[in-house]
Amino acid sequence: MNVLPYVLAGWLFLIGCYGLATSRNLIHAVGCLAVCQASTYVLLLAIGYRKGGTAPVFSDIAPGSRPVVDPVVQALTLTDIVIGATVTALLLSLVIQIAKRHRTVDPDELSELRG
Amino acid sequence: MSTRMRLWVLIAGGLGTAVLYLLACRDLPAFGGRWHPYGDRAVDAALARHTANTVSSVNFDQRALDTLGEESILFGSVLGTVVLLRQTRDEDRLPPQPVRVAPQVRRYALLALPVTLLIGLYVVAHGQLSPGGGFQGGVVVATSLHLLYIAVDYQALERIRPVGRYEVADAAGEAGYLLLGAAALLTGAAFLTNYLPYGTFNTLASGGTVPLLNAAIGVEVAAGVVVLLARFLDQAVEIEEEPQDAGAEGTA
């Protein structure tokens, strides 16, 4: 199946969106956003894969001796992971503040404005 | 909008996205195919600049400006978390009481601490040669310090973790990256150009500015993760809310 990895990435994204939209808990919602983000890793790595390819690192293989997978998408994925982790931390700290101010983490109960 | 209505909107949007995405998938290059024009060019450029790890070369040489942007997001997130999780006026800080740690946990965590720290520093230093680099190594270094929390207690962690200094180190890592990039301007090259001699392939001194930018990122990520975890641990372990203020918040 040639498109299965791409379809998997799309499925991960949609299932993450479903979780985000139906979530009754903000911590759960942040987790769903992480799932959505994971779909981009799968998509990038699927695009960069090459049959029989190895890691694009030439410290122990001679250049040109073996096919290597696409390093550009790997670099994109790498930075995406670190950024994802810190942005998740930022969102979770927002959730902590919301829990302190409103005493709830249910997004449906956060309708009124408070000082 | 009612919950039911929202669900229908979600289903419609999801189905639409799924159909468009599947149509787009059919035009993507075949999975595992040989056609990777950017990848091949990135590998050639990395080898021309004597960087064995192509991923590091892409991150810290070929698209170093993008990495500066990503690093700034990281810096901004850490800054935002520090601001959001600060101790507010209606909160008290109680020193946590030490609890007994199982001797096995203590032994293995203390044993693993220096090893993990060394591996983290190794991964940062060898970013231009082997898989790894500042991002991954920085996280490993930050993790190693927190083994002390598992092995001993929170106060022991606080002694090796003056948060103020790590905040300065976080900013210094970001500034170091900018200054290394700006130093290229002095040589007449563009911002963040690789201007140092490329060195011998597959040795520690190879890749020109790649290992230096790697180290700057390593400092920033390690300090950033320590600061992030410190703020979350403070909330979990030390900061206690005064119960009588629960009703008075609305007027504050």
Side-chain angles (χ1 to χ4, degrees), chain B residues 158-219:
Chain B
E158 281 186 320
R159 271 200 292 280
I160 60 159
R161 192 203 61 186
V163 179
R165 286 191 200 162
Y166 281 89
E167 283 167 355
V168 171
D170 188 29
E174 171 92 14
Y177 197 99
L178 274 170
L179 291 176
L180 279 167
L185 299 174
L186 297 178
T187 67
F191 183 58
L192 281 170
T193 310
N194 195 344
Y195 54 91
L196 291 177
Y198 295 149
T200 317
F201 184 74
N202 217 358
T203 59
L204 264 185
S206 67
T209 50
V210 172
L212 298 178
L213 292 177
N214 229 336
I217 292 273
V219 169

Side-chain angles (χ1 to χ4, degrees), chain B residues 1 27 37 52-53 58 78 84 101 106 126 137 180 197 199-200 207 220 228 230 234 247:
Chain B
M1 216 183 327
D27 285 341
N53 181 0
V58 171
V78 173
L84 279 172
V101 181
R106 178 177 291 244
H126 289 72
L180 279 167
T200 317
E220 194 197 339
L228 277 184
D234 274 355

Side-chain angles (χ1 to χ4, degrees), chain A residues 1-3 5-7 9-11 13-14 17-18 21-22 24 43 45-51 55-60 63 67-72 74-76 78-79 82-83 85-87 89-90 92-94 96-97 100-103 108 114-115, chain B residues 3 6-7 10 14 17-18 21-22 25 28-36 38-40 42-43 47 52-55 58-59 63 70 73-74 77-78 80-81 84-86 88 90-91 129-131 135-136 201-202 221 228 232 235 241 246 249-250 252:
Chain A
M1 207 28 197
N2 231 347
V3 292
Y6 303 142
V7 174
W11 174 78
F13 177 75
L14 287 175
C17 285
Y18 171 78
T22 58
R24 289 286 152 272
L43 182 67
L45 295 178
I47 288 172
Y49 182 67
R50 176 179 269 181
K51 281 217 173 60
V57 176
F58 298 100
S59 52
D60 51 0
V68 292
V69 298
D70 197 331
V72 177
Q74 294 209 336
L76 294 176
L78 165 64
T79 40
V82 179
I83 303 309
T86 47
V87 171
L90 183 64
L92 286 175
S93 56
L94 273 171
I96 290 180
Q97 284 302 330
K100 275 188 191 168
R101 298 282 159 238
H102 297 268
R103 314 221 157 257
D108 279 351
R114 271 178 84 172
Chain B
T3 316
R6 269 199 305 200
L7 200 64
L10 175 69
T17 311
Y21 180 76
L22 281 176
C25 275
L28 276 174
F31 177 66
R34 304 189 55 78
W35 189 72
H36 291 282
Y38 291 112
D40 293 339
V43 168
L47 291 175
N53 181 0
T54 316
V55 179
V58 171
N59 268 337
R63 26 185 309 277
E70 285 150 354
I73 298 176
L74 197 152
S77 303
V78 173
T81 308
L84 279 172
L85 293 184
R86 69 197 185 283
T88 51
D90 51 353
E91 287 168 343
L129 302 176
S130 56
F135 285 112
Q136 303 93 316
F201 184 74
N202 217 358
V221 171
L228 277 184
F232 278 101
Q235 291 284 332
E241 213 167 337
E249 271 176 349

